[in-house]
Coordinates of all heavy atoms in Angstrom, one line a residue:
I132 N 21.7 91.4 78.8 CA 22.3 90.2 78.9 C 22.7 89.6 77.6 O 23.6 88.9 77.5 CB 21.3 89.2 79.7 CG1 21.2 89.7 81.2 CG2 21.8 87.8 79.6 CD1 20.2 88.9 82.0
A133 N 21.9 89.9 76.6 CA 22.2 89.4 75.2 C 23.4 89.9 74.6 O 24.0 89.4 73.6 CB 21.0 89.6 74.3
S134 N 23.9 91.0 75.1 CA 25.1 91.7 74.7 C 26.3 90.8 74.7 O 26.6 90.3 75.8 CB 25.3 93.1 75.4 OG 26.6 93.5 75.1
Q135 N 27.0 90.7 73.6 CA 28.2 89.8 73.5 C 29.3 90.4 74.6 O 29.9 89.6 75.2 CB 28.7 89.7 72.2 CG 30.0 88.8 72.0 CD 30.4 88.6 70.6 OE1 29.8 89.2 69.7 NE2 31.4 87.9 70.4
G136 N 29.4 91.8 74.5 CA 30.5 92.4 75.3 C 30.2 92.2 76.8 O 31.1 91.9 77.6
W137 N 29.0 92.1 77.2 CA 28.5 91.9 78.5 C 29.1 90.5 78.9 O 29.6 90.3 80.1 CB 27.1 92.0 78.8 CG 26.6 91.7 80.1 CD1 26.1 90.5 80.6 CD2 26.4 92.6 81.1 NE1 25.8 90.6 81.9 CE2 25.9 91.9 82.3 CE3 26.6 94.0 81.3 CZ2 25.6 92.5 83.5 CZ3 26.3 94.6 82.6 CH2 25.9 93.9 83.6
C138 N 28.8 89.5 78.0 CA 29.1 88.1 78.5 C 30.7 87.9 78.5 O 31.2 87.1 79.3 CB 28.6 87.2 77.3 SG 26.8 87.1 77.4
V139 N 31.4 88.7 77.8 CA 32.8 88.6 77.9 C 33.3 89.2 79.2 O 34.3 88.7 79.7 CB 33.5 89.4 76.7 CG1 35.0 89.6 76.7 CG2 33.1 88.7 75.4
K140 N 32.7 90.4 79.6 CA 33.3 91.0 80.8 C 32.9 90.2 82.1 O 33.5 90.4 83.1 CB 32.7 92.4 80.9 CG 33.2 93.4 79.8 CD 32.6 94.7 80.1 CE 33.0 95.8 79.0 NZ 32.3 97.0 79.1
R141 N 31.8 89.5 82.0 CA 31.1 88.9 83.2 C 32.2 88.2 84.1 O 32.3 88.4 85.3 CB 29.9 88.0 82.9 CG 29.3 87.2 83.9 CD 28.8 88.1 85.0 NE 27.8 88.8 84.5 CZ 27.3 90.0 85.0 NH1 28.0 90.5 86.1 NH2 26.4 90.7 84.4
P142 N 32.9 87.1 83.5 CA 33.8 86.4 84.4 C 34.8 87.3 85.1 O 35.2 87.1 86.3 CB 34.5 85.3 83.5 CG 33.5 85.2 82.3 CD 32.9 86.6 82.2
R143 N 35.4 88.3 84.4 CA 36.4 89.0 84.9 C 35.9 89.9 86.1 O 36.5 90.1 87.1 CB 37.1 90.0 83.8 CG 38.1 91.0 84.5 CD 38.6 91.8 83.4 NE 39.2 93.1 83.9 CZ 39.8 94.0 83.2 NH1 39.8 93.8 81.8 NH2 40.2 95.0 83.7
I144 N 34.7 90.4 85.9 CA 34.1 91.3 86.9 C 33.8 90.3 88.2 O 34.1 90.8 89.3 CB 32.7 91.9 86.5 CG1 33.1 92.8 85.2 CG2 32.0 92.6 87.5 CD1 31.8 93.1 84.4
D145 N 33.3 89.2 88.0 CA 33.2 88.3 89.2 C 34.4 88.0 89.9 O 34.5 88.0 91.2 CB 32.5 87.0 88.7 CG 31.0 87.2 88.1 OD1 30.4 88.1 88.5 OD2 30.6 86.3 87.4
H146 N 35.5 87.8 89.2 CA 36.8 87.5 89.8 C 37.3 88.8 90.6 O 37.7 88.6 91.7 CB 37.8 87.2 88.7 CG 37.6 85.8 88.2 ND1 37.4 84.7 89.0 CD2 37.8 85.3 86.8 CE1 37.3 83.7 88.1 NE2 37.5 84.0 86.9
V147 N 37.2 89.9 90.1 CA 37.6 91.1 90.7 C 36.8 91.3 92.0 O 37.3 91.6 93.2 CB 37.6 92.4 89.8 CG1 37.8 93.7 90.6 CG2 38.5 92.2 88.7
E148 N 35.5 91.2 91.9 CA 34.5 91.4 93.1 C 34.8 90.3 94.2 O 34.8 90.6 95.3 CB 33.1 91.5 92.7 CG 32.7 92.6 91.9 CD 33.0 93.9 92.5 OE1 32.7 93.9 93.8 OE2 33.4 94.9 91.9
S149 N 35.0 89.1 93.6 CA 35.3 88.1 94.6 C 36.7 88.3 95.4 O 36.7 88.1 96.6 CB 35.5 86.7 93.8 OG 35.9 85.7 94.7
Y150 N 37.6 88.8 94.7 CA 38.9 89.1 95.3 C 38.8 90.2 96.2 O 39.4 90.3 97.4 CB 40.1 89.5 94.2 CG 41.4 89.6 94.8 CD1 42.1 88.5 95.2 CD2 42.0 90.8 94.9 CE1 43.4 88.7 95.8 CE2 43.2 91.0 95.4 CZ 43.9 90.0 95.9 OH 45.3 90.1 96.5
K151 N 38.0 91.3 95.9 CA 37.8 92.4 96.8 C 37.2 91.9 98.1 O 37.6 92.4 99.1 CB 37.0 93.4 96.1 CG 36.7 94.6 96.9 CD 35.7 95.8 96.2 CE 35.4 96.8 97.1 NZ 34.6 97.9 96.4
A152 N 36.2 91.1 98.0 CA 35.6 90.5 99.2 C 36.6 89.7 100.1 O 36.5 89.9 101.3 CB 34.4 89.6 98.8
A153 N 37.4 89.0 99.4 CA 38.5 88.2 100.2 C 39.4 89.2 100.8 O 39.9 88.9 101.9 CB 39.2 87.3 99.2
V154 N 39.8 90.2 100.1 CA 40.7 91.3 100.7 C 40.0 91.8 102.0 O 40.6 92.1 103.0 CB 41.0 92.3 99.8 CG1 41.7 93.5 100.5 CG2 42.0 91.8 98.6
R155 N 38.7 92.2 101.9 CA 38.0 92.8 103.0 C 38.1 91.7 104.2 O 38.4 92.2 105.4 CB 36.5 92.9 102.8 CG 36.2 94.1 101.8 CD 34.8 94.1 101.5 NE 34.5 95.1 100.6 CZ 34.1 96.5 100.9 NH1 34.0 96.7 102.2 NH2 33.8 97.4 100.0

Side-chain angles (χ1 to χ4, degrees):
I132 292 177
S134 165
Q135 183 178 358
W137 178 270
C138 295
V139 171
K140 292 180 182 178
R141 171 64 61 206
R143 174 176 160 183
I144 298 162
D145 288 340
H146 285 315
V147 173
E148 292 300 324
S149 174
Y150 186 70
K151 180 179 179 180
V154 169
R155 286 177 183 269

